[in-house]
Each structure stands twice: as C-alpha cells, then as structure tokens.
Amino acid sequence: MKQVKASISGIEGYVPDYILTNAELETLVDTSDEWIVSRTGIKERRILKEPGLGSSHMGARAVKGLLEKTNTDPAEIDLLICATITPDFVFPSTANLICDQLGIRNIGSFDVNAACSGFVYGLELGAQFIETGKYKKVVVVGTDKMSAVMDYTDRRTCILFGDGAGAVLLEPNEEGYGVIDTLIRSDGVGYNNLVQRGGGSRFPASHETVDARMHFLHQDGQQVFKSAVRNMADVSAEMMERNQLSHDDIAWLVPHQANRRIIEATANRMGVGMDKVMMNIAHYGNTTAATIPLCLWDYEKQLKKGDNLIFSAFGAGFTWASAYVKWAY
C-alpha cells in the first residue's frame, strides 16, 4: 500500500484594495521611503479599511476563491484550520466565522495562534489529518488584519505590517508529492519582545490599558531580528539535513516575509541563491500568518510538479517552523 501524503492541490490569496505607501507613512511618522526600503525591503502594504470587517472577511475571500478555483463544493470540506493572531473576537474562533460566511456547516474548525509561524503550524496539523485517512479535504488559511493592532504613531512597528490572507487545500496523494516533513519549535522566553499586552485575561481592557497603549503590538526590533535570523536559518538547515537535501535540490525557499535582511540571511545559511527565494514583502509587508501562502499565490505560475520547496517562518512566542513540501501540480 502506497504511503499517503497531504498534497497542496490549490492555493488562493486575498489582499485589500487600499495601498498604504511609504510616502503616506512619511506624513504620519518621522520616517522616509529610503529608510524603510533600505532596512526592510518594504515599499507598500495593503490595509483593510472598511469598518466592521476583520480577519474573517479576508480569510473567507481567500477560501471562497480557493474553492472556486479547485471546483470544490463547500460541502466537501472536512476540516478548516485558521492561523491568525488578529481574530475578529476573542471567541468564537475566526475559523467558525469563515465557515459561516461560506456556508460550510457541521465540520470541525478552529484557530491556531502561533503568530508568523501559524500557517506552518496549521499545515502540519492539517497534513496529519490527511495522512491518517481521517479526512480527504482540509483547508488551511492564514489571515491577519495587522492594521487593527498597529500604533500609527510608532515608527518602529507601523512601517512593517499589512493585512492579507492566503489559503491552501490539502488532499491525499499517493505519488510522493505533498507535505514531506515539518518542524515546529517554540520558546516562551522571548514573549515580551513581541507582544500585545492588553485585552487578554492578564490585562483585560480598561481605561488604564487603553491609556497605556497596551492594545497595540509592541516589538523589541533588535531582539526579534537576532532571534529570527538565527532560528529561521537553523530550522531550515535542519530540515534540509534530515531530508538529505542540498541547495541544488531546492527549487524554492518560501520564507516568512518579515524583513528582507532576515530572508537574505536565511537563504545564505541554506546556500540558496536569491533567484530561488520567493519574496513579495515589497508590496505586502509582513502579513503575519498570511505571508507564506501569499508567496505561493504570487509565484504559483512558476511552480512545477515535483519542485522541492522549503517553508521557513519565525514569529511571536517565540515560535519558528519549517516544512518540506514537494509541489503536486
């Protein structure tokens, strides 16, 4: 009996229409296009401006497009996993809301909170449900409305993040294509370096938390940068070593889009040339759990059946993760 793998049989993305350029940011905080581009590689990012819409709206748009693209009836979906750190509500889950918006009923759906590593965490979970034979069609969606937690008076963070969503369909494959291997890691020692302190059970919303700006994202950029460079490079190198892959075997590195310098350091550690690195950070910024699927969406036409892909991510927690995927179409 052939071994079953969970293959990605479809990919779709969604980004809002509104484009927040570096030029516009120059009118909000003391920064410049040259400064932002030279340090991050970001030129613009998308922002969900419409009132009353959250991460579920973008996630639902991405999943709707995915189902249409793959000719999949919503009733065929067995499980939906949503990676997000900006849920519409503390509860119910954003996954529940996405299913409701698309008429997907009576299935399991839940959120994964692993920050920027969330999509790879969700991919590992979804793949296991496919490999065991439990389910035939699993959707993994990464969606984040980072503008909802941005302090647009803080030039250190507001330049980095944008809004967007990306989704994949996982299905069984017996030809050797799909999610071959995954690694997920975490270390809570770095929690205070990248955190939204207000709004949870430790510091519930109050006048004090609002006045202290605790409901915005806080980041110690230097510490996050150092940890991201080390851990994204380490986990990607480990993935290659344990699967006996050389840099020549890799068709594409698909890195989390946090900072161009982090991406370059990861590629250098793996020995992969930048011509093999998916990168769209210039146009979207850091969309957290959506960055990896948005890269796949943008580069889909360049992918070939059998291509070896390495996913690499790092996020708040700290969390970091990698996946080895053999492209199935």
Side-chain angles (χ1 to χ4, degrees), residues 189-260:
V189 71
Y191 87 92
N192 207 36
N193 294 316
L194 184 49
V195 62
Q196 182 186 347
R197 296 191 178 98
S201 59
R202 187 182 294 194
F203 299 108
S206 66
H207 285 297
E208 289 77 14
T209 63
V210 172
D211 291 344
R213 310 184 78 78
M214 293 173 65
H215 297 270
F216 294 121
L217 176 148
H218 167 78
Q219 175 173 277
D220 182 331
Q222 187 174 16
Q223 291 302 319
V224 171
F225 181 86
K226 290 179 180 178
S227 297
V229 168
R230 181 178 67 253
N231 289 310
M232 278 182 63
D234 284 353
V235 76
S236 301
E238 181 181 351
M239 179 61 72
M240 291 175 64
E241 183 177 351
R242 66 191 247 158
N243 287 281
Q244 299 179 324
L245 296 169
S246 73
H247 58 86
D248 292 328
D249 298 319
I250 305 302
W252 292 100
L253 167 63
V254 192
H256 168 54
Q257 306 289 297
N259 181 300
R260 182 182 177 93

Side-chain angles (χ1 to χ4, degrees), residues 271-322:
V272 174
M274 291 303 293
D275 60 324
K276 291 184 174 183
V277 179
M278 292 188 188
M279 192 153 50
N280 57 14
I281 189 172
H283 302 295
Y284 302 141
N286 183 349
T287 55
T288 306
T291 62
I292 287 176
L294 281 176
C295 274
L296 296 174
W297 180 51
D298 276 355
Y299 281 78
E300 182 182 18
K301 291 182 180 179
Q302 298 184 52
L303 293 170
K304 302 179 182 66
K305 188 173 183 177
D307 277 354
N308 291 320
L309 278 59
I310 300 292
F311 299 175
S312 181
F314 177 88
F318 289 137
T319 65
W320 58 101
S322 181

Side-chain angles (χ1 to χ4, degrees), residues 255-275:
H256 168 54
Q257 306 289 297
N259 181 300
R260 182 182 177 93
R261 290 184 295 173
I262 295 173
I263 295 169
E264 291 172 343
T266 302
N268 184 62
R269 171 72 183 277
M270 296 169 64
V272 174
M274 291 303 293
D275 60 324

